[in-house]
Amino acid sequence: MNSLNSSHIRMSLLCYSATALLLLQQVPWLLLLVGLAAGWWRLRVMQGLATLPKPRWVKLSLVLLIALVLWLARSFELFDKLVSLVMLGYSLKYIELHKRRDVEMFSLTGLFLVAFSLVFSSQPLAALLAAIVAFLHLLLLLSLDVKISFNWAKRLGLWLLAIAPLAIALFIVAPRLAPLWKMPTPSSAQTGLSDVVRPGDISQLIRSDKLMFRAEFSRAPEPDELYWRAMVLDEFDGEQWTRSQIAQQKQAPDSSSAINQYQLLLEPASQAWLATLNPSQVRGGGANYVADGSWLREGESFPRQILNFSQLEPPTSSAVPPAYLHFLTRLPQNITPKVSELSEYLGSGLSPRTPDYPKQVMASVQQWFLSQQFRYTLSPPAYPGLLGVERFLLDQQSGFCVHYAQSVVILARLQGIPARMVTGFLGGEWEQQDSLLAVRNYDAHAWMEYWDGERWVRLDPTAWIAPDRVENNLQQSQATAEQWQSISAWSQKIWYTQGFNQMRLWLAQADYWWAKWVLNFDHKRQLNLFSQLLAWLPGSSLLMLTAGMILLGLFATVLLMAKPWQWRLPNKQVIALKWQCWLLARRGVVRDKGESFNHFLKRVEQQAPQRALALAQAINSYNQKRYQP
Amino acid sequence: MKFTLLEAFKQWKGVRSAAWLAKRVPSSGSLRLTRKNLFILPTRFGWGFLVALVVMLMMGSNYQNNLIIALGLWLLALWLVCLVLCHQNLSGNTVSLLQRPEGQCDKPLRLLLNIVNHKQPHALAAEIKSWPGKQAYEQLDGQLALDLEVKQRGRQLLPRISLSSVFPLGLFRCWTVADFNCELLAYPAPLAGFACPSQEWVEAHDVERAASDSQLQSEFAGLKAYRSGERKSLLAWKQFAAGRGLQTKAFTGNPSIDLHLSDRRHSGLNYEQTLSVLAFWLRQLAQQQQSFSLQVGAKQLASGSGHQQLKAGLRLLAEAPSSDE
């Protein structure tokens, strides 16, 4: 069939809309309108309500639209531009949807756009949506040959399910190649902790429940160990905290004995920082250690990935260059007098000569904080600059973790104690009791570290003010639950109520397995599975195993398509009868089509009387079986 | 030289493939489609799809994206399964030609193919590769109609009909080339606007004499005014030519006169055109239940009337040797 009718156009419109929905965030929305308008027009042409434009107008508008799309996508990454251009071609294909060939091109482009969409998002829900869109495109292809109905959709669905074993076998054995060449990266910009922190930045993050990573433990960690250290901010210019150059140098990590193993299942990110327990050591590579004790991901783009770490015994002493320690006591010149006075007051009576001096200062700072009316809040006032530090410490006394960490670092540095601010995440949500922890954006936290003369000591000033916050996460903590409710979006509120909690955890579980087994089924995991299978099936080679798996998949697919469980086995009377007929046929007495058995029997009695009795018995037992219950 | 060599090669290839096909799919009245006589290859789209899948898989491994790889491999599995499904769609059917195809030149000649099976094949297409004119097919309920444009009258051996289907998804084309060992018969196209060739014969006698002619089994009862709807064969052409208006010859008794038609030429018409004029008149006469006899070349068709007579007459016209002989 070569001519299309309006039902094909309707079907393709459905495909287009679904694809547009899938790529809604990646392509300019104006482009999607162009496609919908083109599709609607095409439908009207099919119904005889409009006429097609002249070819030269099509060409002119094509050039204009390409220019428009490139302009609209000017701020996009190269990959997004590419996707937009493909989408434009897909939109404009409508205008010349004349023949079978055009629809085939349309469907193939659609399938490619589905693949593009998977580059942007690999969540189970996105994958499900992508599968539906791909299904619609296959249905469009099928509609070229048959009139599409619910039955056909069901049939196509059954085919696609029946090939699952083969597809899965192929997925398992297909070699996982390293990237063949560098591809333009998509702009799946992920928000999260940034390299630059102003007071108040992290309080924006807590509005988001976006998953940052999951951690799987081999042994349940202590609750107070769960400080996920991501970035060390050691340079303060009076406005914002940044990471200094010295601290960014690569270094070999300290070695000490491992006390726990954990695996990080990272979500795609745009930045290289990793949140790890401190101190840790990477196993199997994939991360680099830098001088400030944090880990950075390797590579240029950061897809979903699994990294393995060992948590180490905290060292009793470590070596830090004195120059760096000196650097960590530097402060902007214009510290306000009131803050300086406070620092002097806190340090009075303590001698910097004693080895316990840093600890004593910190104890004094803690005493002072506890004696004041400090309050922990998720929506603090803005405290810009150094004046803001003074206002926070002496006037308002209500703030968020960053404010506490920042002010304690400043107070320590004023006393000459090397100190730095650390951002990262605190705690997380247990998805499997004691072994799987999910860490989300709202778990973002800030604390500080000071040098006690021999080693770095972690100090979380927020714990002085809101100990409850440190033990629980935002929704569970008494102090913050209500505040969190008031600042988060209504959909989040509903999602985190008790009624949905179980479902939420269940979905998270599915997502975890999805990520672990589908998204990260890489070369290593593949080899691992193969070596396990080889150990289980001794004496077989890798090649045999691969061929065997494909054959097994093929066999399962064939079984699913042939549906042997629906076959009806003939009963023994039928077989006996057929046997008699076959014997007679060998003697040249063939039963005619439509000849009744009784008539045939009469014929046999004349032509081959010696076999007539056996045939009569067979017919008789068949009739009894068939007609007498 | 090169051209002739190429032509020669093509011819040789044609002969070879025809011989191979004759062995593979021998000519017979009905063809049961089996593994032996069905061929299957990916269509152009099927190849393109495969290439696209390779690109998709490369994209998947370049982005280290397992979902894209999974999508690509799923589609690859679908591609492989379509091979089986496409073959299954045709396999097991029995195709036969319903009747000897006959038709007239200016109308498409319809071949009716009967398809017998427990399940109907989907999206079945029929085509004759070497056919010079236009052709179209239509899938009916349990049958497939192939309409051929015939340019020349006469008997013609029906070439191999290729039956194919790209179901499902258009990735593969499964086909066979059936040879039903059958001739088709094309009648000359009717040519209107000329007097009936028998009329000249009638004209040779007078109307009155024609009335008393022994061949006429009824009696001539004079002329009467023509009323619309009356048989045109009874028109009194001579009187009309003389300007006396349209009149019909009235007969008593058997209303039909037995006309004798022959392939004598009209002035200004060649032999083929004469046959066309005859074809027109045969239809006219048969429609009016007029009995007639026909002589074409050396062959003679005895007097008779009705549909059977028309068929016989048309066959005679179709098989008439061309005038050159």
Side-chain angles (χ1 to χ4, degrees):
Chain A
M1 185 176 59
N2 270 328
S3 60
L4 306 181
N5 56 38
S6 55
S7 75
H8 293 118
I9 304 291
R10 275 201 201 96
M11 187 72 208
S12 68
L13 255 176
L14 183 65
C15 287
Y16 184 86
S17 318
T19 314
L21 202 68
L22 202 60
L23 289 166
L24 201 58
Q25 294 175 342
Q26 271 73 39
V27 296
W29 58 270
L30 207 61
L31 175 56
L32 302 180
L33 286 188
V34 167
L36 285 179
W40 177 71
W41 190 7
R42 183 69 218 175
L43 193 62
R44 279 176 61 87
V45 169
M46 266 298 175
Q47 292 166 342
L49 297 171
T51 52
L52 274 184
K54 287 205 174 75
R56 69 169 169 212
W57 288 114
V58 175
K59 278 177 197 155
L60 183 68
S61 60
L62 188 65
V63 171
L64 285 178
L65 280 168
I66 289 177
L68 179 70
V69 166
L70 284 179
W71 184 76
L72 283 173
R74 64 196 180 283
S75 59
F76 287 17
E77 298 279 340
L78 183 62
F79 182 78
D80 298 44
K81 273 186 191 143
L82 180 77
V83 174
S84 293
L85 274 183
V86 174
M87 189 76 194
L88 176 68
Y90 182 71
S91 309
L92 291 178
K93 191 70 198 169
Y94 267 127
I95 294 188
E96 47 152 34
L97 218 54
H98 298 301
K99 287 187 179 156
R100 180 183 187 108
R101 205 183 51 200
D102 300 321
V103 178
E104 288 172 345
M105 269 314 285
F106 182 84
S107 300
L108 204 53
T109 317
L111 288 175
F112 255 91
L113 283 168
V114 170
F116 283 144
S117 83
L118 293 173
V119 174
F120 291 109
S121 172
S122 50
Q123 302 294 324
L125 200 66
L128 183 71
L129 203 65
I132 291 172
V133 177
F135 178 78
L136 284 177
H137 281 95
L138 291 176
L139 203 60
L140 175 65
L141 268 183
L142 190 66
S143 77
L144 287 171
D145 292 323
V146 292
K147 199 168 159 16
I148 277 306
S149 61
F150 175 72
N151 251 345
W152 275 111
K154 206 170 83 180
R155 207 147 151 190
L156 180 65
L158 285 177
W159 287 343
L160 286 171
L161 286 183
I163 59 174
L166 181 58
I168 289 169
L170 284 174
F171 183 78
I172 291 173
V173 301
R176 291 293 181 282
L177 303 171
L180 303 171
W181 59 82
K182 191 169 153 19
M183 302 279 276
T185 46
S187 69
S188 48
Q190 312 290 326
T191 54
L193 292 175
S194 69
D195 290 0
V196 175
V197 170
R198 286 179 206 84
D201 275 3
I202 289 185
S203 63
Q204 296 301 315
L205 278 186
I206 58 163
R207 291 161 200 269
S208 152
D209 68 342
K210 192 174 159 48
L211 183 69
M212 298 314 286
F213 62 91
R214 288 198 174 88
E216 199 179 9
F217 291 92
S218 56
R219 175 183 69 73
E222 298 297 319
D224 63 341
E225 283 174 34
L226 290 175
Y227 276 89
W228 297 101
R229 190 170 180 276
M231 260 180 297
V232 173
L233 303 158
D234 49 9
E235 202 165 358
F236 184 50
D237 66 356
E239 285 288 331
Q240 59 192 22
W241 290 85
T242 49
R243 316 165 76 179
S244 68
Q245 288 296 318
I246 317 169
Q248 292 295 294
Q249 283 161 2
K250 278 186 195 171
Q251 214 180 51
D254 299 334
S255 58
S256 70
S257 57
I259 54 170
N260 199 1
Q261 312 279 341
Y262 62 96
Q263 191 174 54
L264 291 186
L265 193 87
L266 302 156
E267 294 299 302
S270 56
Q271 284 146 341
W273 54 259
L274 274 173
T276 55
L277 299 177
N278 194 39
S280 285
Q281 166 71 48
V282 72
R283 286 181 292 135
N288 292 318
Y289 189 76
V290 290
D292 62 14
S294 53
W295 290 89
L296 296 176
R297 288 169 90 167
E298 268 173 7
E300 306 238 351
S301 68
F302 310 108
R304 252 184 155 168
Q305 193 181 2
I306 288 183
L307 291 178
N308 291 300
F309 283 93
S310 301
Q311 193 189 357
L312 305 177
E313 187 85 37
T316 48
S317 67
S318 46
V320 175
Y324 183 50
L325 286 179
H326 178 68
F327 173 77
L328 288 182
T329 57
R330 274 165 50 180
L331 278 172
Q333 293 299 314
N334 43 351
I335 293 287
T336 51
K338 280 190 181 170
V339 175
S340 302
E341 277 169 29
L342 173 67
S343 162
E344 272 169 35
Y345 162 74
L346 292 174
S348 59
L350 299 171
S351 158
R353 302 275 173 220
T354 56
D356 268 356
Y357 174 67
K359 258 184 202 157
Q360 287 167 356
V361 172
M362 286 305 156
S364 157
V365 170
Q366 182 179 2
Q367 279 304 317
W368 181 78
F369 265 89
L370 290 176
S371 67
Q372 301 288 312
Q373 297 295 311
F374 278 102
R375 207 161 55 80
Y376 181 78
T377 172
L378 294 181
S379 40
Y383 298 113
L386 288 169
L387 201 65
V389 176
E390 180 192 312
R391 274 183 52 219
F392 165 69
L393 277 175
L394 299 167
D395 301 340
Q396 304 273 345
Q397 301 200 327
S398 79
F400 192 56
C401 55
V402 185
H403 303 110
Y404 291 101
Q406 166 184 274
S407 47
V408 175
V409 171
I410 291 174
L411 288 175
R413 286 189 179 187
L414 280 171
Q415 297 289 330
I417 302 169
R420 55 194 186 184
M421 183 151 81
V422 179
T423 55
F425 301 88
L426 175 61
E429 185 180 21
W430 287 108
E431 286 182 351
Q432 278 167 36
Q433 197 54 49
D434 293 342
S435 67
L436 185 67
L437 187 79
V439 178
R440 292 164 199 280
N441 251 338
Y442 58 62
D443 292 314
H445 190 56
W447 59 96
M448 59 90 70
E449 284 173 351
Y450 68 93
W451 181 255
D452 73 347
E454 285 185 331
R455 60 191 178 107
W456 289 105
V457 178
R458 182 179 67 215
L459 185 72
D460 185 0
T462 313
W464 303 336
I465 312 303
D468 190 35
R469 159 72 187 100
V470 176
E471 279 158 28
N472 298 305
N473 67 14
L474 286 177
Q475 306 99 45
Q476 289 152 2
S477 143
Q478 296 271 320
T480 54
E482 259 176 49
Q483 290 187 35
W484 190 79
Q485 287 272 318
S486 65
I487 60 167
S488 55
W490 63 269
S491 59
Q492 245 175 39
K493 271 181 235 169
I494 293 172
W495 198 224
Y496 282 91
T497 51
Q498 285 299 317
F500 278 109
N501 231 11
Q502 198 50 47
M503 192 170 89
R504 197 166 57 82
L505 287 180
W506 186 78
L507 277 179
Q509 192 78 11
D511 182 53
Y512 170 71
W513 284 105
W514 175 253
K516 191 167 174 180
W517 285 102
V518 179
L519 301 181
N520 284 295
F521 189 80
D522 56 2
H523 186 61
K524 240 186 297 177
R525 201 169 282 267
Q526 192 177 25
L527 280 187
N528 204 0
L529 180 73
F530 273 18
S531 61
Q532 275 176 18
L533 279 174
L534 278 177
W536 187 58
L537 300 164
S540 55
S541 72
L542 196 65
L543 196 70
M544 291 282 290
L545 194 65
T546 307
M549 284 184 98
I550 291 186
L551 281 180
L552 197 69
L554 206 60
F555 180 67
T557 292
V558 167
L559 270 188
L560 283 175
M561 310 243 8
K563 296 180 197 139
W565 52 90
Q566 285 182 3
W567 295 352
R568 272 185 301 169
L569 288 176
N571 51 34
K572 71 173 187 242
Q573 284 81 6
V574 174
I575 294 173
L577 199 53
K578 279 192 173 170
W579 171 245
Q580 291 300 329
C581 286
W582 184 75
L583 283 177
L584 281 163
R586 282 189 61 195
R587 289 165 181 263
V589 189
V590 183
R591 184 177 157 238
D592 291 332
K593 258 188 189 170
E595 189 179 18
S596 77
F597 276 113
N598 285 336
H599 190 265
F600 182 49
L601 185 61
K602 274 181 196 143
R603 209 150 60 84
V604 169
E605 274 163 0
Q606 289 163 9
Q607 292 176 5
Q610 67 276 28
R611 295 225 60 87
L613 186 63
L615 180 68
Q617 278 173 353
I619 292 174
N620 197 23
S621 69
Y622 171 77
N623 283 342
Q624 271 187 357
K625 173 79 183 167
R626 186 82 177 76
Y627 301 109
Q628 291 168 9
Chain B
M1 184 62 189
K2 203 174 173 184
F3 177 74
T4 51
L5 258 182
L6 191 70
E7 284 291 291
F9 174 71
K10 273 187 182 165
Q11 210 170 8
W12 175 79
K13 215 181 99 184
V15 169
R16 279 300 300 270
S17 62
W20 184 79
L21 265 181
K23 223 191 271 175
R24 188 94 190 171
V25 193
S27 63
S28 75
S30 80
L31 182 66
R32 186 175 156 78
L33 301 178
T34 59
R35 222 172 49 230
K36 192 167 176 281
N37 49 30
L38 280 178
F39 312 106
I40 189 164
L41 272 180
T43 55
R44 192 184 293 193
F45 174 61
W47 286 119
F49 192 83
L50 203 60
V51 170
L53 287 191
V54 171
V55 172
M56 202 182 276
L57 288 174
M58 279 201 305
M59 189 168 99
S61 70
N62 270 1
Y63 281 110
Q64 297 283 292
N65 191 316
N66 270 341
L67 286 186
I68 297 178
I69 293 178
L71 176 68
L73 290 175
W74 208 287
L75 291 176
L76 182 67
L78 183 67
W79 191 83
L80 286 173
V81 162
C82 275
L83 174 75
V84 178
L85 288 174
C86 187
H87 194 271
Q88 256 182 9
N89 182 34
L90 290 191
S91 181
N93 292 292
T94 302
V95 186
S96 56
L97 205 57
L98 262 191
Q99 66 223 9
R100 187 169 86 150
E102 289 184 13
Q104 67 191 42
C105 276
D106 61 341
K107 273 192 192 162
L109 197 155
R110 173 158 279 207
L111 304 183
L112 271 181
L113 299 172
N114 199 27
I115 302 153
V116 184
N117 191 17
H118 55 280
K119 70 177 167 65
Q120 281 297 313
H122 303 286
L124 193 61
E127 191 195 13
I128 295 181
K129 277 271 150 58
S130 57
W131 196 256
K134 283 184 210 150
Q135 43 186 318
Y137 64 88
E138 191 184 348
Q139 193 165 11
L140 309 169
D141 192 27
Q143 285 177 358
L144 187 73
L146 177 62
D147 294 326
L148 300 171
E149 184 196 59
V150 190
K151 286 189 176 142
Q152 219 180 351
R153 91 184 151 84
R155 265 179 201 284
Q156 203 180 340
L157 195 68
L158 188 64
R160 283 182 179 269
I161 304 173
S162 100
L163 292 166
S164 67
S165 174
V166 292
F167 171 89
L169 307 182
L171 294 172
F172 287 90
R173 179 168 174 270
C174 185
W175 78 99
T176 188
V177 270
D179 183 0
F180 294 113
N181 195 18
C182 174
E183 281 176 330
L184 53 84
L185 192 64
Y187 316 138
L191 184 62
F194 292 91
C196 177
S198 73
Q199 219 61 36
E200 287 173 29
W201 180 78
V202 170
E203 204 178 18
H205 314 261
D206 216 349
V207 177
E208 284 79 7
R209 280 180 61 201
S212 63
D213 196 294
S214 59
Q215 285 200 355
L216 295 178
Q217 291 166 356
S218 54
E219 265 180 57
F220 179 67
L223 295 168
K224 56 177 183 148
Y226 169 76
R227 283 173 299 171
S228 63
E230 279 190 295
R231 281 190 227 151
K232 291 191 179 60
S233 61
L234 297 181
L235 277 175
W237 293 105
K238 199 174 176 187
Q239 279 73 14
F240 178 63
R244 270 177 265 165
L246 271 176
Q247 287 178 303
T248 45
K249 294 170 269 185
F251 296 92
T252 57
N254 190 340
S256 63
I257 36 170
D258 195 11
L259 288 178
H260 182 73
L261 278 65
S262 80
D263 59 347
R264 279 186 311 145
R265 295 177 196 203
H266 274 273
S267 50
L269 292 183
N270 64 23
Y271 186 61
E272 291 298 323
Q273 284 166 327
T274 307
L275 291 182
S276 288
V277 170
L278 269 175
F280 173 78
W281 278 107
L282 288 190
R283 279 168 198 283
Q284 289 294 324
L285 295 177
Q287 206 177 7
Q288 290 155 13
Q289 293 296 323
Q290 173 79 56
S291 89
F292 60 87
S293 59
L294 176 68
Q295 175 159 24
V296 178
K299 286 189 179 166
Q300 181 89 30
L301 178 68
S303 176
S305 70
H307 189 70
Q308 289 301 322
Q309 179 77 353
L310 170 69
K311 268 276 161 75
L314 286 173
R315 275 178 198 157
L316 209 60
L317 291 184
E319 289 166 9
S322 60
S323 59
D324 308 338
E325 288 169 25

